[in-house]
């Protein structure tokens, strides 16, 4: 069984300041982990993914995430927020090993960026 | 190239009617997934197809829900005798394989409203 918990339902930052969106996961297997972003009235877009290679994963638009097995965490960060980053972000866990890729989504974190 | 497409984009139906939602995956993608996004439940897995077969239907909420995939391509999700709690955005995703860690590409969704 697998699950994911996003620790903040809303995060508000000022433009140019760092972003931290927190995620903890639970998985019976060595997990695949993803962050997806959903802009208003748009589809889900993959930001980055971890699949047991490097623990620090770089994604699109300057986002990165660090896999910490000891803390079962996969927090998403960005050094400097941009207005266009305002969206809802989903931490997602997929089955590990050779199991098929059913995804389990967190509840989402809405990121607001103030000018 | 073309992404995942879904039709209709919006559907309003009366309680008790049947609806069909369509998904056109990316050409060549063997794995296809249906998810549902609703206010109360977040994003939930419904069903997974590998080719034309559905190894995992565990997420279908009731026997009013069914899905099929023909020719290893287009998929249809059917909801019979719709209820108000079926109102949600239904998302389709496809992947090159069904293996864990594979990136899933999402369509824009069908917003279903049951009145």
């Amino acid at each position: 069984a697998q699950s994911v918990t996003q620790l903040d339902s809303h995060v508000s930052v000022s433009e140019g300041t760092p972003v931290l969106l927190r995620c903890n996961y639970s998985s019976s297997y060595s997990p695949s982990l993803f962050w997806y972003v959903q802009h208003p009235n748009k589809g889900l877009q993959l930001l980055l993914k971890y699949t047991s290679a490097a623990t620090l994963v770089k994604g699109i638009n300057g986002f990165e995430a660090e896999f910490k097995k000891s803390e079962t965490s996969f927090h998403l960060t960005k050094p400097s927020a941009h207005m266009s980053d305002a969206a809802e972000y989903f931490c997602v866990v997929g089955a590990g090993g050779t199991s098929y890729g059913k995804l389990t989504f967190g509840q989402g974190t809405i990121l607001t960026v103030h000018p | 190239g073309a992404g995942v497409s879904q039709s209709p984009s919006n559907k309003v139906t009366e309680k008790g009617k049947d609806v069909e939602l369509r998904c056109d995956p990316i050409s060549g993608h063997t794995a296809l997934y249906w998810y549902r996004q609703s206010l109360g439940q977040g994003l939930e897995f419904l069903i997974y197809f590998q080719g034309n077969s559905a190894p995992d239907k565990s997420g279908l909420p009731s026997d009013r829900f069914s899905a099929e995939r023909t020719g290893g391509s287009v998929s249809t999700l059917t909801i019979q005798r719709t209820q108000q709690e079926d109102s949600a955005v239904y998302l389709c995703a496809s992947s090159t394989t069904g293996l864990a860690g594979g990136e899933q590409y999402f369509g824009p969704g069908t917003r279903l409203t049951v009145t």
Side-chain angles (χ1 to χ4, degrees):
Chain A
Q2 55 203 39
S3 65
V4 60
T5 302
Q6 292 182 243
L7 300 173
D8 306 291
S9 57
H10 290 82
V11 170
S12 181
V13 301
S14 298
E15 190 174 22
T17 64
V19 175
L20 170 63
L21 306 183
R22 299 182 296 164
C23 172
N24 287 111
Y25 70 90
S26 172
S27 177
S28 303
Y29 307 94
S30 178
S32 300
L33 293 162
F34 308 81
W35 277 96
Y36 279 83
V37 61
Q38 187 174 37
H39 287 90
N41 299 314
K42 296 287 181 65
L44 285 160
Q45 181 184 19
L46 180 68
L47 274 181
L48 50 81
K49 70 176 183 179
Y50 165 79
T51 54
S52 77
T55 56
L56 183 62
V57 182
K58 295 188 184 298
I60 62 172
N61 301 333
F63 284 94
E64 62 182 36
E66 187 172 7
F67 173 71
K68 292 186 176 181
K69 186 175 181 178
S70 61
E71 299 177 9
T72 61
S73 68
F74 190 57
H75 301 334
L76 181 70
T77 60
K78 182 174 180 178
S80 176
H82 191 273
M83 295 296 290
S84 62
D85 294 329
E88 188 165 16
Y89 292 78
F90 293 93
C91 183
V92 183
V93 61
T98 58
S99 299
Y100 76 92
K102 167 186 169 181
L103 300 179
T104 300
F105 284 77
Q107 289 299 306
T109 298
I110 295 173
L111 176 64
T112 303
V113 183
H114 297 287
Chain B
V4 177
S5 61
Q6 293 185 245
S7 60
S9 55
N10 281 283
K11 177 72 176 178
V12 180
T13 191
E14 292 180 354
K15 178 181 173 181
K17 300 281 182 136
D18 298 352
V19 295
E20 283 189 354
L21 312 179
R22 177 187 167 104
C23 171
D24 271 285
I26 293 172
S27 177
H29 281 195
T30 61
L32 186 147
Y33 307 80
W34 283 98
Y35 296 87
R36 179 170 71 172
Q37 186 174 25
S38 57
L39 280 176
Q41 302 299 320
L43 260 155
E44 307 170 282
F45 165 81
L46 296 178
I47 187 169
Y48 156 65
F49 285 94
Q50 181 60 252
N52 291 337
S53 64
D56 190 347
K57 308 178 183 179
S58 64
L60 295 178
S62 76
D63 58 8
R64 295 186 296 105
F65 288 72
S66 62
E68 65 176 13
R69 189 179 186 196
T70 55
S73 182
V74 171
S75 177
T76 302
L77 178 69
T78 301
I79 310 173
Q80 296 179 309
R81 305 181 302 282
T82 52
Q83 303 295 313
Q84 288 187 330
E85 62 263 28
D86 300 334
S87 295
V89 176
Y90 290 82
L91 295 168
C92 176
S94 71
S95 180
T96 53
T97 72
L99 291 178
E103 179 175 349
Q104 293 185 23
Y105 296 83
F106 283 81
T110 293
R111 182 175 298 276
L112 175 66
T113 304
V114 181
T115 62

